[in-house]
Each structure stands twice: as C-alpha cells, then as structure tokens.
C-alpha cells in the first residue's frame, strides 16, 4: 500500500512541477525573456506530468497553436497506453504477476 501512496505522490509532484514550469515559460514569453525549451516541457509531461501540462496549456493559453509541440504533447497519453498494453501482454506471456487482473 505504501508503494501506491508513494506512486501517487510522485505523479502529483510531476504534475505540479509541469504546471509550474509551463507557467514560468508563459511568463517568460510575455516578458521576452529566455524560455524553457520545448524538450524540457515535453520531458516533464512524458515522465508523469501530462495532466499538469495540459491543464497549464489550457489555463494559460500557452503553446496551443505551436506545432509540432501540440501534437507531441497530445501523443504522450497514447504512448503510455501502448506501453501499458505491451507490458500487460509481455507479463502474461512470461507468466509474471499483473497488478490488475480479474479473478
């Protein structure tokens, strides 16, 4: 159970961090200052902060028309879904324990 709580905490932190970094980048864009790279923004989104990134994108109207950034950001949950399917399939093929099974 503590692993689940830790995982939820890590995901919450990643989403909060992504939201904050998007806000900082938006503020810097308005002020004409040095910006956060798109690679950094997408990396934060990919490693658990996708919901925070999307929330910040909508809240601050930041990078909503910027291509290919917008497409890459929207592909992240698709990649995670594909990864989950592959892991579940491989776990079944190797007779590994799967966390979400119907019994």
């Amino acid at each position: 159970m503590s692993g689940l709580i830790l995982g939820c905490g890590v995901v919450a932190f990643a989403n909060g961090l992504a939201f904050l970094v998007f806000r900082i980048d938006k503020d810097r864009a308005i002020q004409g200052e040095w910006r956060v790279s798109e690679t950094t923004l997408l990396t934060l989104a990919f490693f658990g902060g996708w919901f925070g990134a999307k929330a910040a994108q909508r809240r601050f109207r930041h990078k909503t028309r910027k291509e290919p950034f917008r497409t890459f950001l929207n592909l992240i949950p698709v990649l995670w879904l594909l990864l989950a399917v592959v892991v579940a399939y491989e776990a079944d093929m190797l007779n590994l324990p799967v966390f979400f099974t119907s019994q």
Side-chain angles (χ1 to χ4, degrees):
M1 184 65 163
S2 63
L4 179 62
I5 293 171
L6 178 64
C8 289
V10 169
V11 169
F13 176 78
N15 281 287
L17 181 62
F19 189 90
L20 178 66
V21 173
F22 265 72
R23 173 61 189 257
I24 289 169
D25 189 48
K26 177 65 175 189
D27 289 344
R28 288 181 179 179
I30 291 169
Q31 297 168 1
E33 295 178 358
W34 192 263
R35 305 279 302 279
V36 177
S37 73
E38 289 184 355
T39 303
T40 299
L41 295 173
L42 288 171
T43 301
L44 285 170
F46 183 77
F47 287 107
W50 184 81
F51 287 110
K54 285 301 287 184
Q57 185 184 40
R58 293 187 62 146
R59 170 70 173 91
F60 306 123
R61 295 182 183 171
H62 188 49
K63 296 199 177 282
T64 56
R65 294 179 286 167
K66 178 83 173 176
E67 287 294 348
F69 181 86
R70 184 177 69 172
T71 300
F72 290 152
L73 186 61
N74 290 329
L75 282 176
I76 289 172
V78 175
L79 293 173
W80 274 102
L81 180 62
L82 290 173
L83 180 64
V85 168
V86 168
V87 167
Y89 177 77
E90 291 298 322
D92 186 44
M93 293 296 293
L94 299 173
N95 293 322
L96 297 175
V98 178
F99 296 105
F100 302 105
T101 60
S102 59
Q103 295 182 9

